[in-house]
Amino acid sequence: MPAVTIRNIPEATHRALKLRAANHSRSTEAEIRAILEEATRPRDIGLGTALYNLGRKYDGIELDTNLPGDIVEPADFS
């Protein structure tokens, strides 16, 4: 596995990482891995959010909400 070395982390940041790791019951190294994985993982979004984002991208989308005149009744299997 690749390794990364980070130099010149401020002391306060290092203390905060150690505290955060302790709160999650893991090592500081494991906590940093978790932070990096969370920061780089693609976000899973729902269909509604995806449609909302698409609409915002194009400054809104007009949808035709008119239903056809002949609505088909659902089948009755009783």
Side-chain angles (χ1 to χ4, degrees):
M1 276 197 144
V4 175
T5 301
I6 303 172
R7 291 177 173 46
N8 302 319
I9 295 175
E11 188 62 37
T13 302
H14 188 251
R15 279 194 308 273
L17 283 168
K18 288 174 69 171
L19 180 61
R20 180 176 164 150
N23 288 335
H24 291 132
S25 301
R26 53 187 166 208
S27 69
T28 305
E29 184 176 331
E31 185 67 21
I32 293 169
R33 270 195 306 273
I35 292 168
L36 290 172
E37 287 173 17
E38 173 64 28
T40 58
R41 182 181 310 127
R43 304 266 187 243
D44 291 334
I45 60 172
L47 178 60
T49 304
L51 291 172
Y52 173 79
N53 290 339
L54 183 64
R56 287 188 54 125
K57 180 178 177 181
Y58 295 105
D59 294 324
I61 298 174
E62 288 293 324
L63 300 175
D64 181 13
T65 56
N66 295 326
L67 297 175
D70 298 326
I71 297 179
V72 177
E73 291 295 322
D76 181 13
F77 297 104
S78 54

